[in-house]
Amino acid sequence: FNSECDSEVIAVYLAEKMANGSSLEQAMRDSLDELDGVFTYICVTDDALGVAKDEMAAKPLVLYESDDLVALASEEIAIRALIDHEIETYDPYEREVLVWTR
């Protein structure tokens, strides 16, 4: 595999880890140690949604979570445009991995 696009590298990395038996969450946790650089990324599979932030947590990510909804964006205003009531959002910490499943 050869690419100059970091998003493609992360996708292939996670797919390979999961093909070798890792769960999405474990593959994402491993990426924190094995991938170099500053990153925040999301990954979606047939039954899960995950987010990961590197140790610097410099890339923006805002989350809103309720009993029936998880919303992610790089800016809070994007989430607030979808929700018609007051909400609390949060920004994941450094080296944080969060995974939601159906």
Side-chain angles (χ1 to χ4, degrees):
F1 174 75
N2 185 12
S3 176
E4 293 184 21
C5 176
D6 56 355
S7 297
E8 288 177 347
V9 170
I10 293 171
V12 169
Y13 170 88
L14 293 174
E16 184 175 298
K17 293 290 259 184
M18 291 175 11
N20 289 322
S22 291
S23 66
L24 174 62
E25 183 173 356
Q26 188 56 54
M28 295 177 85
R29 289 193 186 286
D30 290 347
S31 78
L32 300 179
D33 294 323
E34 296 180 3
L35 298 179
D36 187 28
V38 177
F39 57 83
T40 295
Y41 67 84
I42 65 170
C43 181
V44 179
T45 67
D46 289 339
D47 62 352
L49 166 68
V51 299
K53 290 192 97 165
D54 73 325
E55 62 190 24
M56 295 183 67
K59 299 290 184 175
L61 177 66
V62 179
L63 298 171
Y64 166 72
E65 187 176 359
S66 70
D67 291 338
D68 58 349
L69 176 70
V70 174
L72 309 107
S74 58
E75 295 184 4
E76 187 173 315
I77 193 168
I79 296 173
R80 290 188 178 278
L82 299 174
I83 310 222
D84 65 352
H85 56 83
E86 188 59 34
I87 61 171
E88 286 192 36
T89 62
Y90 66 99
D91 187 355
Y93 295 109
E94 59 277 346
R95 295 189 57 81
E96 188 163 8
V97 171
L98 301 167
V99 175
W100 298 268
T101 57
R102 288 188 200 197

